[in-house]
Amino acid sequence: MEREIIVKGYGQARSMPDRVVIDVLVEAEGVTRDQSFGEAARVAQRVDEVLANRADAVARVLTALLTVQPRSRWKRGESVRTGWRAARGSVVEVTDFAQLGELIAELTSAGAAVSGPNWCLDDSNPAYREARRAAAEDARRRAEDYAGALGLTLGPVAWVSEPGLRGGGEQTGPFGVALAAQPAGAAMAGEPDETIDVAPTELTTRAEVEVGFSLASNDA
């Protein structure tokens, strides 16, 4: 059986984000279904006007939630309807970070609740490639260290795999994942003329690779 040295290499790279995602929630309550829906629609219209006026900063808007449902409370052993709640949730991707603080202030002034920000990298960001190359170089260094310490001669690469792909096993760790040191799902609200200064956060992209190196024939 062919002898191999099998190692896992780790790499990382840092980059500023390409875009930021915020969650925008519009909700309203009313005695009747039509009342709650109508109020939510009026708030949603104001929010949509804000987004339209900031179209140069917004890359995409996706509706993630649309619901109208009754509200109730437990009274004397039974559920009693107390009214209705209507809500619309949207995911907004922003690429002009300089407008982010003003956009959030305008959205909250329009009546929306905003949570985020979640900083993101595009799939084409060079940081992913840099992290993968660093992981591959780390794998070779590890293999060379082990071979040298054991008096073996390292041969060519026998195989390369991203974590969890070889042998059908489950993935054991993140591959090409961008991470930022920031609180998740932070809610924001402000007064009508209050602007929150939101600066982009540097992201760390991490990658792993598994590599099998053959041993030179004189060591086999």
Side-chain angles (χ1 to χ4, degrees):
M1 182 177 65
E2 185 177 358
R3 297 174 64 190
E4 296 176 343
I5 291 181
I6 301 174
V7 295
K8 179 182 288 187
Y10 301 85
Q12 68 179 36
R14 294 181 179 178
S15 177
M16 296 303 292
D18 299 304
R19 52 195 167 86
V20 61
V21 176
I22 56 175
D23 296 317
V24 181
L25 178 64
V26 171
E27 58 182 346
E29 296 182 4
V31 176
T32 66
R33 179 178 58 186
D34 291 343
Q35 183 181 16
S36 64
F37 184 83
E39 179 59 26
R42 284 188 286 273
V43 178
Q45 183 177 4
R46 296 197 299 268
V47 168
D48 291 343
E49 290 173 356
V50 170
L51 295 173
N53 292 335
R54 295 282 180 176
D56 58 330
V58 176
R60 184 167 60 166
V61 179
L62 301 175
T63 300
L65 169 70
L66 185 60
T67 180
V68 181
Q69 59 187 12
R71 294 181 59 85
S72 60
R73 63 185 178 88
W74 198 254
K75 183 178 181 181
R76 297 180 180 178
E78 62 180 356
S79 179
V80 178
R81 181 175 296 177
T82 59
W84 289 79
R85 174 182 177 272
R88 186 192 74 177
S90 301
V91 177
V92 180
E93 293 186 3
V94 180
T95 52
D96 187 349
F97 303 154
Q99 298 188 48
L100 181 59
E102 293 178 352
L103 174 61
I104 291 174
E106 292 171 4
L107 289 171
T108 56
S109 178
V114 180
S115 61
N118 298 308
W119 306 100
C120 306
L121 297 180
D122 291 338
D123 292 340
S124 60
N125 192 291
Y128 288 113
R129 184 179 184 187
E130 184 180 345
R132 288 191 291 264
R133 291 181 64 89
E137 293 168 357
D138 180 57
R140 176 169 289 279
R141 285 193 299 269
R142 289 170 181 264
E144 290 173 347
D145 290 343
Y146 292 138
L150 296 170
L152 304 173
T153 303
L154 199 65
V157 173
W159 54 268
V160 181
S161 174
E162 292 186 356
L165 297 182
R166 183 175 171 83
E170 296 183 358
Q171 186 164 330
T172 57
F175 185 86
V177 177
L179 303 173
Q182 60 180 29
M188 300 182 187
E191 296 301 324
D193 296 325
E194 181 181 355
T195 299
I196 302 173
D197 184 18
V198 185
T201 301
E202 186 178 56
L203 303 178
T204 299
T205 303
R206 297 193 174 107
E208 300 176 11
V209 64
E210 298 172 353
V211 184
F213 290 87
S214 299
L215 293 174
S217 56
N218 60 313
D219 295 322

